[in-house]
Amino acid sequence: MKYLFIILCFLAPLHAEIITSNFAFGGGIPFVGSTSIDGVDIELTTTNTESFGATAFRDDTSANIAFVTLQFSSNVQFFSVNVSRVASNEFITNFNLGTPSALDGDLIDIDNRITTSRNDDFGSGNIIFSDINTDTISFEIDAPGALAVNEFSFEIAAVPEPSTYFILFFLSVICVLKFRGNSFLLKKEL
């Protein structure tokens, strides 16, 4: 029975760490860029955007909606984006992931349109999606002001090392033989 416990411990889901990055890898008008973080390639494409400082981007303050897409080389199971300079007449909308799992800071959801509860243009917070499985994140920024996108976080499902598979297989064989009541190493002669 103790072998079964050990095997179940190995079968517990593996979790990778959450990785956070700003957008220092991008630039230009529209703001675009690509990078590789911990072996995950990321490509950012946008329209109607521009740099905001050295590590962020924003909509270009025109009346046009900004479109943002992040493409990952591996599926992400968690994603968060940090925004600031949000006014109550500015919205982040149309996430391809649907409704966020959570919002923090002073962000609120009004009919699937993320905005701020503040009365000025200094709203900020994180838009969080958990329990997802996708390699593409897209959304729109509908903001007459200068809503800024500062950083993002993501998590890739952990993949066990080959040695973990060997240990799991070995322990499974031992467990099966013990439950059958006859170990091939300790078999009694009749």
Side-chain angles (χ1 to χ4, degrees):
M1 197 59 154
K2 66 182 176 183
Y3 297 111
L4 182 60
F5 175 74
I6 293 170
I7 291 171
L8 290 176
C9 288
F10 279 103
L11 290 175
L14 299 173
H15 291 285
E17 67 182 65
I18 293 177
I19 301 164
T20 300
S21 174
N22 60 33
F23 292 96
F25 62 86
I29 299 174
F31 191 88
V32 297
S34 61
T35 189
S36 184
I37 304 171
D38 288 349
V40 179
D41 297 328
I42 303 163
E43 184 173 348
L44 169 70
T45 56
T46 70
T47 63
N48 303 317
T49 58
E50 61 191 10
S51 295
F52 185 70
T55 61
F57 69 93
R58 68 181 186 180
D59 69 306
D60 65 7
T61 69
S62 70
N64 298 321
I65 293 175
F67 296 91
V68 178
T69 301
L70 281 159
Q71 181 75 45
F72 296 86
S73 62
S74 297
N75 282 5
V76 296
Q77 61 186 18
F78 170 89
F79 178 78
S80 173
V81 63
N82 177 269
V83 295
S84 64
R85 306 282 307 191
V86 182
S88 60
N89 66 339
E90 299 175 324
F91 302 96
I92 303 107
T93 64
N94 294 325
F95 278 93
N96 67 318
L97 303 172
T99 304
S101 306
L103 301 171
D104 71 10
D106 49 49
L107 298 179
I108 57 173
D109 184 341
I110 300 174
D111 298 324
N112 291 321
R113 299 173 355 147
I114 310 304
T115 189
T116 182
S117 59
R118 295 175 60 112
N119 292 323
D120 55 23
D121 65 349
F122 291 102
S124 64
N126 292 294
I127 304 167
I128 302 162
F129 294 89
S130 57
D131 296 324
I132 58 175
N133 185 25
T134 186
D135 65 353
T136 305
I137 311 290
S138 63
F139 58 93
E140 299 174 9
I141 302 170
D142 185 1
L147 187 150
V149 182
N150 304 309
E151 66 182 22
F152 65 101
S153 300
F154 66 95
E155 181 180 28
I156 302 296
V159 177
E161 296 180 23
S163 61
T164 304
Y165 289 120
F166 174 76
I167 292 169
L168 180 61
F169 173 76
F170 181 73
L171 291 174
S172 297
V173 168
I174 290 172
C175 185
V176 166
L177 292 174
K178 287 290 183 182
F179 282 133
R180 286 182 53 204
N182 57 358
S183 170
F184 66 94
L185 297 175
L186 303 173
K187 191 172 183 178
K188 294 182 181 180
E189 295 285 329
L190 293 177

